[in-house]
Amino acid sequence: MRAYGFVRVGGPEQQAFLDVEVPEPGPGELLVRVRAAGVNPGDWRVREGSYGTAGPAVLGREVAGTVVALGAGVTGFAPGDEVFGGCPGMVGGWAEQALVTASFAAHRPDGVSPESAAVLPVAAGTAYDALDNLALPAGATLLVNGAGGGVGVPMLQLARSRGLRVVGTASPAKRDLVAGLGAVPVAYGEGVVERIREAAPDGVDGALDLVGGPSLRAVAELVPADRLFSVADKPLVKQLGGREVVRNRDTSVLVELARLVAAGQLDPHVSRVRGLDEAGEALAEVENGHARGKIVLVPGG
């Protein structure tokens, strides 16, 4: 079958279309005919070797599609079911057919499009798990550092649905986006700590960092160390006494996210749908930081 991935670890020049065998679902796996697949920063990090995956390999960490076959021990699904979920080993979704981990898959409700469902497991799932890790009570103030990105957008919505007051740092170009999602926007750059203090005069109860580096170091002083989490810079957050987000890759998380989408309480913000022929351009847009909202690939597009 036709797929898109990389031939060896490295930069964008290693990306290519691949002719690969249709995979056989192993124990605990589903084989699905892909209807939509999400594009994430983790995809180019896989290509660069950050997760230890050597090429040639198919990219893609999340998909929505139609079940074709079941691996051993899989229950609750049947061929023909419309599902969405995460791909095993964090690779494999940018193809005509792909494997999905059954324990991190869910039935797609009729009110949720394949394009919306396909982008829930990675970014929205990370945001959901981060909120569970933080465990802040309603009325608390949450700082989201990097609120205008792929994880930040669902994070703002999910946090507000739990009754949290949210302050979000972002570029000036994303100020209206952050404000429109119910957060108090604060611009990046020199003086950001003072601006956050002005936006949250009673202090910040917890923080999720989606930027890392000096930006994470700057905001770390605003929160207790045990309420500082980072997705973007795990070594630094641990050095600062904080923690990385522990993912809960379970069907129950996907069921709840899909319910929120169907109820109109969570907008995945799919900004662009591209055909698989445009996979390289889609990944470049994400890697260069130019994507506004989520990008979805459609193999038949």
Side-chain angles (χ1 to χ4, degrees):
M1 66 176 181
R2 189 165 182 258
Y4 191 82
F6 62 102
V7 294
R8 60 182 61 86
V9 169
E13 72 281 357
Q14 301 299 337
Q15 295 168 200
F17 285 97
L18 308 171
D19 289 320
V20 299
E21 296 293 328
V22 175
E24 292 287 336
E29 295 177 342
L30 307 171
L31 176 65
V32 305
R33 188 172 304 280
V34 178
R35 297 186 62 182
V39 182
N40 294 281
D43 295 311
W44 62 262
R45 293 186 180 117
V46 168
R47 184 207 66 218
E48 286 193 335
S50 297
Y51 299 103
T53 300
V58 180
L59 290 168
R61 303 172 61 190
E62 56 183 359
V63 300
T66 308
V67 176
V68 175
L70 312 177
V74 174
T75 60
F77 298 99
D81 286 353
E82 293 297 324
V83 301
F84 67 103
C87 300
M90 296 189 294
V91 294
W94 295 2
E96 295 167 354
Q97 297 187 57
L99 297 177
V100 172
T101 303
S103 60
F104 194 43
H107 292 92
R108 178 175 62 82
D110 290 339
V112 179
S113 70
E115 293 79 11
S116 292
V119 301
L120 294 178
V122 175
T126 298
Y128 187 94
D129 292 342
L131 281 171
D132 282 353
N133 285 193
L134 282 157
L136 297 175
T141 297
L142 169 67
L143 170 65
V144 179
N145 190 37
V151 176
V153 167
M155 185 69 173
L156 299 186
Q157 299 174 74
L158 294 171
R160 293 290 293 176
S161 73
R162 297 192 187 192
L164 301 180
R165 181 176 186 268
V166 187
V167 175
T169 66
S171 65
K174 294 184 177 180
R175 176 184 177 85
D176 290 345
L177 171 64
V178 172
L181 294 174
V184 179
V186 172
Y188 286 140
E190 186 177 352
V192 64
V193 171
E194 288 71 23
R195 289 192 292 275
I196 293 170
R197 288 196 171 110
E198 290 175 2
D202 295 327
V204 174
D205 301 299
L208 174 66
D209 166 67
L210 304 170
V211 180
S215 184
L216 166 58
R217 192 178 293 276
V219 302
E221 65 181 84
L222 296 168
V223 294
D226 64 348
R227 286 293 180 267
L228 174 66
F229 287 79
S230 179
V231 172
D233 199 332
K234 297 174 184 179
L236 180 56
V237 77
K238 290 179 180 178
Q239 178 186 329
L240 296 171
R243 292 177 280 178
E244 64 180 274
V245 173
V246 177
R247 291 299 312 275
N248 176 24
R249 294 181 175 88
D250 185 81
T251 292
S252 62
V253 173
L254 299 182
V255 169
E256 176 61 10
L257 291 171
R259 184 192 70 80
L260 291 170
V261 174
Q265 297 175 2
L266 174 63
D267 181 355
H269 279 252
V270 175
S271 61
R272 187 172 303 184
V273 178
R274 291 178 175 265
L276 188 60
D277 284 343
E278 300 177 285
E281 292 87 343
L283 187 54
E285 193 172 350
V286 171
E287 186 169 0
N288 295 334
H290 296 153
R292 292 181 63 86
K294 299 295 294 183
I295 298 177
V296 173
L297 297 177
V298 179

